[in-house]
Amino acid sequence: MTEREYRTPCFIIDEEKLLRDFNMLKDSLEASWNHYRIGYSFKTNSLPWLVTFLKARGVMAEVVSDDEYALARWLGFADGEIIYNGPVKERASFEQALLAGGIVNLDGQRELDWLEELCGAHPDRRFLVGIRVNFNLESLCPGETTMGEEGGRFGFSYENGAFARVVERLRRTEGIEIAGLHLHSSSKSRSVDIFRAIAAMACRLKREFDLDLSYVDLGGGYCGGLPGRPQYPDYFPAVAGVLREEFTPERTALIVEPGISLLSSATTFVTQVLDVRDIGDRRYLITDGSRFQIDPTMIKSSYLFHLELDPSGPKERPEMERQCVSGYSCMEVDRLFELENGPELMAGDRIVYENVGGYTMSLSPLFIQYFPDVYVRREGELKKVRERWTPREYVQNCMLYQEEI
Ligand SMILES: *Cc1c(COP(=O)(O)O)cnc(C)c1O
């Protein structure tokens, strides 16, 4: 299928761009810290094609729920190729991962209890675990973190002594080895300084607690593919410079868990104008895309996009001061942006949103319309890698009302 033959709305992933960004990640890790693992963040976008594309390149699965763990297994990751994070792990998959030598980063008291009981049940085994660290990143990078002064809620707090108590508790139990630290922290800035501060925290913890670590996991949260913003080759030399104070690549692997930075520049969302209407003195463009599909958390104030005018439409398009681009849903908030001083758009014209790979396909609700088609562009041809959902998929696992029980 070629361009314009496909049905909108749809996501298109450009394989060449995806590969370029992936190689940029690999090459910069290789150059800065040649002992590394990449764990792809499933929650960012767990489209099966995408996940298996990355798996074919040696990437591990980074998962934060039992469902994601099961999806990783379904898609062919062995237990040892999974990084199991987050506070809502389930006990069975937690034990399965540890018994198989997967990477498990502890996040909560109940996991400590599970771990001790697992050790009791397998006195002949050694279990390698990581600890998710919660630390005051905001004080090191003022104004840059997502939660600001309030701080994040994940992991064990360094400042209030919870981290120290966990280290002590794990050291008391025979058969447990503290193999790694997990320092994922979300930031608004995604700056290189954030990652320098994270690396410095790893060094500080190693010194203070005399840890012998086989990995330092920086987590995700990188920028990628945005002009004027940092790229992989900016982060890893800076991180390596800090880590080398306390660590060597021979002894300690660097783990990274990229999500959005890997996918965004490769992914577009193609929508089409369905209807043009004037209400009072305002012009509305009703499109077949929705804000729910590319900004499900309703936080974006602007979008990267380009227009593709319908080649069969009029050649001359007068400029219009304002056109309100809105979505298909019946909610008034479903307005994407004001197109200012643009060509007057008509039904059939396309608005193509750029940089929409992360937190879109996975987070979009099944609201009014179901999941749209996803295509991959390979050598100019489009291949469908997810068929749009229909009522058939929607009703799966549902029971219908029956008068008789
Ligand atoms: C969300 C998340 C990531 C990925 O974050 P991006 O911003 O998409 O790079 C990685 N690790 C953990 C633990 C996460 O929660």
Side-chain angles (χ1 to χ4, degrees), residues 41 43-44 62 85 132 182 184 190 220-221 257-260 359:
S41 159
K43 76 163 189 281
T44 307
E62 189 272 325
N85 287 332
R132 172 89 177 250
H182 182 214
H184 174 82
R190 299 179 177 256
E257 302 172 348
I260 197 166
Y359 305 100

Side-chain angles (χ1 to χ4, degrees), residues 374-403:
V374 182
Y375 292 92
V376 167
R377 185 183 292 111
R378 176 185 282 179
E379 293 164 6
E381 287 284 307
L382 292 179
K383 187 175 157 49
K384 196 183 279 184
V385 297
R386 183 179 75 188
E387 187 79 39
R388 63 171 49 219
W389 272 35
T390 65
R392 187 182 52 225
E393 287 73 34
Y394 184 76
V395 302
Q396 66 195 326
N397 303 335
C398 291
M399 209 164 164
L400 304 189
Y401 169 74
Q402 280 171 327
E403 228 162 293

Side-chain angles (χ1 to χ4, degrees), residues 147-352:
M147 291 312 297
E149 301 279 328
E150 192 181 332
R153 71 174 189 277
F154 301 105
F156 296 96
S157 167
Y158 169 69
E159 281 81 12
N160 76 7
F163 178 82
R165 286 193 295 278
V166 172
V167 170
E168 202 187 309
R169 183 168 163 188
L170 294 176
R171 281 179 169 161
R172 268 202 312 267
T173 311
E174 196 65 41
I176 297 178
E177 192 178 312
I178 301 172
L181 294 177
H182 182 214
L183 299 120
H184 174 82
S185 304
S186 55
S187 74
K188 290 184 288 208
S189 62
R190 299 179 177 256
S191 71
V192 175
D193 278 346
I194 285 278
F195 289 91
R196 266 198 208 99
I198 289 174
M201 190 66 201
C203 292
R204 179 172 173 173
L205 293 171
K206 177 185 184 237
R207 274 194 304 271
E208 195 172 322
F209 293 92
D210 192 25
L211 300 168
D212 180 17
L213 300 177
S214 41
Y215 69 87
V216 169
D217 184 338
L218 296 178
Y222 313 93
C223 257
L226 288 172
R229 305 298 306 278
Q231 302 254 42
Y232 297 128
D234 300 313
Y235 293 109
F236 301 121
V239 163
V242 176
L243 287 181
R244 274 179 207 283
E245 290 169 20
E246 292 291 336
F247 301 95
T248 63
E250 287 70 37
R251 173 74 197 107
T252 306
L254 182 62
I255 297 183
V256 295
E257 302 172 348
I260 197 166
S261 54
L262 259 184
L263 328 167
S264 280
S265 75
T267 312
T268 52
F269 183 56
V270 186
T271 67
Q272 182 161 192
V273 178
L274 299 176
D275 189 37
V276 177
R277 60 182 55 182
D278 294 318
I279 307 270
D281 56 0
R282 279 171 71 76
R283 167 67 54 97
Y284 291 93
L285 304 173
I286 309 291
T287 70
D288 60 5
S290 168
R291 190 170 171 192
F292 291 108
Q293 283 162 327
I294 51 173
D295 181 26
T297 52
M298 301 278 166
I299 51 168
K300 286 190 188 173
S301 54
S302 65
Y303 298 86
L304 291 168
F305 68 94
H306 65 268
L307 302 175
E308 290 177 4
L309 301 187
D310 183 355
S312 64
K315 293 281 162 291
E316 293 297 315
R317 301 293 186 96
E319 191 178 278
M320 276 201 92
E321 209 177 308
R322 284 163 80 80
Q323 298 169 83
C324 177
V325 178
S326 43
Y328 62 69
S329 82
C330 62
M331 284 178 76
E332 289 289 5
V333 293
D334 192 5
R335 300 169 186 219
L336 291 111
F337 66 102
E338 293 283 343
L339 178 61
E340 289 178 357
N341 304 318
E344 180 175 16
L345 297 189
M346 338 197 36
D349 290 334
R350 286 184 177 176
I351 302 170
V352 181

